[in-house]
Amino acid sequence: MINYNRLGYEIKRDLANFSSKVSKGLKRPQEKFLLQMLYGILEGNKLHLSEIGRSLKENISLKKTIDRLSRNLNSFKGREAVMDNYIAFVKQNIKEDYAVIIVDGSDIAKPAAEKMEALSDIRDGSTGEMARGYLTVEAAVLSKEGKMPLPVYERVFSAKEAGFISETHENLCCLGFLSENFSRKCVRALDRGYDANDYFRHFLKRGERFVIRVKKNRSVIHNGRTCNIMDVAGKYKGNYRMDFEDRHGKKVACKMSCIPVRLCGFPEKELVLVAVYGFGAEPMLLLSNLRMQEKKQLCHIVAKVYLMRWRIEEYFRFKKQQFELEDLRVMSLQSIRNMNLMAMLAVGYIGITSVVKKNTIFLTELKECSKRIYEIPKFIFYALDYAIERVLSKGYTGIGSYIPPKVKSQQMTLFEYFSLADSGGGTS
């Protein structure tokens, strides 16, 4: 039988340790605010300030708690310090020389909103229709154990905000951030939306590894001639046969070909085109600068790296559904960005917990608390989040007792040294 009080204490202590690491260097009010937001999101499972405030269980009116959280959310300035600390923490749980980094865009649709700041027209990825809202670009690195997506970058932007340049510029800022913080040996996996010379130029200039699924209308140089990429792939019917497992656990028999090509915009760079047959009527075309002597192994690695992209799609779906990301109820774009940062850190905590606490009693008890009907899948985030919410909601207190008290300075004041009474600074 699980002792929920003891398990709740362990979760709060572990979350407080995580928060103290990522908030290192912040002022004490910001450090306190960050811990309260993470705790409120994980217990309330919503990004509503009212639900976060209720989860804190403070001995003041709920309105005062919400006002304080709203004020701090809009004025939070510690993003850079938090991300630096968080990235350093993530790096401890990946193999940086061989890690896979997945980059993709998403959206936050707000079709019923009218007065939120800088709303723009977007394509809602859930419905495929045009709506009002915001665009996002995010990146996640896969852990060395279990290949869990650990988010490492997030950015909410709008075409209507002041200073907006382009969506390509925002994506390049994301790639630049990854270049500054991760080794060029990490493999960047991207979808067809990144099949553009701007992104190829970024990777080739820096010597970074990449696997990009290219569009079927792209032209490449093959055997000294410029050809359509589909015509090149059509000359090869699959020299190697391999079996893959899709996200649903179903085995798919595939045939693959490894074709040397060059891009028309960068004819001096040798690349490899991997054509994968078996996932649809037409081949899946993957362009990469990975190098390997054995072509069969190269085909397998390139295809496997790209197929890991579904992990970030699961991450997007988890953050949107579990935390109801698209039900944001803050007005300013700055507050939306900071709320998205808090949601990313909450998901990061769940992901790091699944890696660091693997094969421990702590994680075993959390899995038991999740009360899954069927076996827990590889993507364990849903089970862990439900278990954390279930355990924390049974407690009578919030996270207040885990906030470290303010340490009084050991430096004596002049009044203490001479045992004088402070007159209050008045003059006669």
Side-chain angles (χ1 to χ4, degrees):
M1 184 176 180
I2 297 176
N3 186 330
Y4 283 91
N5 289 331
R6 176 186 55 78
L7 189 56
Y9 163 77
E10 292 184 11
I11 294 174
K12 291 177 182 178
R13 183 184 61 184
D14 190 57
L15 180 62
N17 290 336
F18 171 79
S19 178
S20 66
K21 290 179 180 178
V22 300
S23 60
K24 185 178 180 181
L26 298 183
K27 294 182 179 180
R28 191 170 182 276
Q30 292 181 328
E31 183 180 354
K32 177 182 176 181
F33 167 71
L34 181 62
L35 176 57
Q36 289 179 330
M37 288 295 293
L38 293 179
Y39 177 84
I41 291 172
L42 290 173
E43 181 181 331
N45 247 358
K46 284 186 179 181
L47 299 182
H48 297 174
L49 291 179
S50 57
E51 290 298 328
I52 295 174
R54 291 186 181 95
S55 300
L56 297 179
K57 304 179 179 71
E58 296 181 330
N59 294 324
I60 58 176
S61 68
L62 179 61
K63 185 178 182 304
K64 289 184 177 180
T65 299
I66 295 174
D67 288 343
R68 184 188 76 244
L69 294 176
S70 178
R71 184 175 62 252
N72 289 331
L73 186 67
N74 189 57
S75 62
F76 185 75
K77 303 295 184 183
R79 171 183 293 269
E80 291 185 4
V82 167
M83 287 303 298
D84 288 342
N85 296 329
Y86 173 71
I87 293 296
F89 196 30
V90 168
K91 284 184 177 180
Q92 300 174 11
N93 300 285
I94 65 171
K95 293 181 179 178
E96 191 171 359
D97 288 346
Y98 305 98
V100 176
I101 303 177
I102 308 168
V103 184
D104 204 0
S106 186
D107 58 82
I108 300 175
K110 302 292 294 182
E114 296 181 357
K115 297 187 178 181
M116 295 180 71
E117 182 183 355
L119 284 170
S120 64
D121 294 329
I122 64 168
R123 181 182 177 276
D124 189 350
S126 302
T127 63
E129 300 177 355
M130 297 301 295
R132 303 276 286 172
Y134 305 96
L135 294 172
T136 70
V137 55
E138 306 201 29
V141 58
L142 300 185
S143 65
K144 59 185 176 182
E145 297 290 341
K147 301 302 179 185
M148 290 293 104
L150 305 179
V152 292
Y153 183 88
E154 57 77 32
R155 168 76 174 172
V156 179
F157 61 94
S158 169
K160 292 293 183 68
E161 66 177 305
F164 174 78
I165 299 176
S166 67
E167 186 175 351
T168 299
H169 174 75
E170 296 291 344
N171 293 335
L172 288 174
C173 288
C174 171
L175 298 179
F177 176 87
L178 298 176
S179 299
E180 293 174 1
N181 291 277
F182 293 93
S183 167
R184 65 181 184 177
K185 294 182 179 180
C186 295
V187 184
R188 280 75 170 168
L190 306 100
D191 203 8
R192 283 171 289 193
Y194 292 84
D195 177 15
N197 285 345
D198 289 329
Y199 305 121
F200 286 116
R201 183 179 298 107
H202 173 91
F203 294 129
L204 295 174
K205 181 179 179 180
R206 292 165 175 78
E208 296 176 351
R209 299 173 176 175
F210 64 85
V211 174
I212 299 179
R213 184 175 182 181
V214 292
K215 300 173 184 176
K216 296 178 174 59
N217 61 350
R218 170 165 283 280
S219 296
V220 294
I221 300 173
H222 177 62
N223 291 335
R225 297 178 59 187
T226 301
C227 312
N228 176 267
I229 198 167
M230 281 295 291
D231 294 337
V232 174
K235 298 177 182 179
Y236 299 81
K237 299 303 181 183
N239 299 329
Y240 312 107
R241 185 184 184 279
M242 294 181 187
D243 294 333
F244 291 95
E245 190 173 292
D246 63 13
R247 69 180 67 181
H248 305 294
K250 182 181 178 181
K251 288 188 177 181
V252 180
C254 298
K255 290 184 178 182
M256 297 182 292
S257 296
C258 184
I259 311 166
V261 297
R262 298 171 185 260
L263 290 173
C264 298
F266 313 94
E268 73 283 359
K269 301 292 184 179
E270 295 182 1
L271 302 177
V272 60
L273 171 65
V274 176
V276 184
Y277 302 85
F279 288 104
E282 294 183 328
M284 181 171 64
L285 306 177
L286 306 176
L287 199 61
S288 176
N289 61 347
L290 293 178
R291 307 230 174 178
M292 200 164 292
Q293 291 288 340
E294 187 179 349
K295 291 185 177 181
K296 181 178 180 179
Q297 187 178 7
L298 177 60
C299 287
H300 184 270
I301 290 177
V302 170
K304 189 174 182 181
V305 165
Y306 177 77
L307 293 176
M308 289 181 181
R309 276 197 67 263
W310 71 268
R311 299 279 183 170
I312 198 170
E313 294 176 3
E314 289 282 7
Y315 159 69
F316 285 147
R317 188 178 296 110
F318 173 78
K319 191 166 70 168
K320 282 187 175 182
Q321 293 182 355
Q322 204 73 1
F323 295 151
E324 300 184 12
L325 178 64
E326 293 187 320
D327 196 22
L328 283 168
R329 298 183 183 181
V330 291
M331 300 299 294
S332 70
L333 186 57
Q334 178 67 16
S335 295
I336 292 173
R337 284 173 172 155
N338 287 332
M339 185 66 84
N340 193 49
L341 171 66
M342 301 300 167
M344 186 202 78
L345 292 174
V347 178
Y349 169 74
I350 294 174
I352 291 174
T353 298
S354 69
V355 176
V356 175
K357 305 291 184 180
K358 186 179 181 181
N359 300 325
T360 63
I361 298 177
F362 175 76
L363 195 66
T364 301
E365 290 183 338
L366 279 181
K367 290 179 180 179
E368 186 176 343
C369 289
S370 67
K371 301 295 182 182
R372 300 288 94 177
I373 300 175
Y374 303 104
E375 183 180 356
I376 296 178
K378 293 180 180 179
F379 190 78
I380 197 176
F381 284 33
Y382 290 96
L384 289 187
D385 181 68
Y386 178 76
I388 292 173
E389 176 199 9
R390 191 163 180 262
V391 173
L392 294 180
S393 62
K394 292 180 179 292
Y396 294 100
T397 59
I399 197 69
S401 59
Y402 293 83
I403 298 174
K406 184 177 182 180
V407 179
K408 185 179 179 181
S409 174
Q410 297 181 356
Q411 179 69 40
M412 294 183 67
T413 65
L414 189 63
F415 297 101
E416 292 172 336
Y417 183 79
F418 290 105
S419 301
L420 299 175
D422 188 355
S423 62
T427 58
S428 57

